[in-house]
Amino acid sequence: METNPNISEETEILALKALGWVLEDSERAQRLLALTGLDPRDLRSGLEDPAMLTSLLGFLANHEPDLLACAEAIDVEPARLAAAAEYLNNPGDFS
């Protein structure tokens, strides 16, 4: 997979791991789709799209129980997931 130059490699990897975690549970996946307005086609085609990854990480950042559970499952600090969401929202602030 080629990395989108507008997304840091670490952010992209975290987002993809988080997406995998979200999709492991059908109820959580349905909630993601309902709250973000994404559809399965968006998820498949948008793996390198900053807007889709922003929606995904924002979904987690806005629901602390999921953020904490996801961070534990993918073995990262919750703050790193929240920082990745912030980076995608404001990449110029991290230059």
Side-chain angles (χ1 to χ4, degrees):
M1 172 174 69
E2 239 178 82
T3 300
N4 183 322
N6 299 318
I7 306 170
S8 80
E9 186 174 354
E10 178 183 1
T11 299
E12 189 171 4
I13 290 168
L14 282 175
L16 293 174
K17 286 181 178 182
L19 177 60
W21 178 82
V22 168
L23 297 177
E24 287 177 356
D25 179 85
S26 63
E27 287 183 31
R28 187 171 46 234
Q30 289 301 317
R31 192 164 33 92
L32 168 70
L33 298 176
L35 293 175
T36 63
L38 296 169
D39 65 36
R41 187 177 45 242
D42 295 328
L43 294 177
R44 283 189 296 276
S45 66
L47 294 178
E48 294 181 24
D49 178 7
M52 193 284 290
L53 298 178
T54 298
S55 294
L56 166 66
L57 291 174
F59 165 78
L60 292 172
N62 289 320
H63 191 251
E64 187 176 16
D66 280 348
L67 177 71
L68 296 175
C70 179
E72 183 177 339
I74 65 173
D75 197 29
V76 299
E77 291 295 319
R80 284 185 59 205
L81 281 174
E86 185 62 29
Y87 170 81
L88 288 170
N89 278 320
N90 303 296
D93 293 348
F94 292 85
S95 305

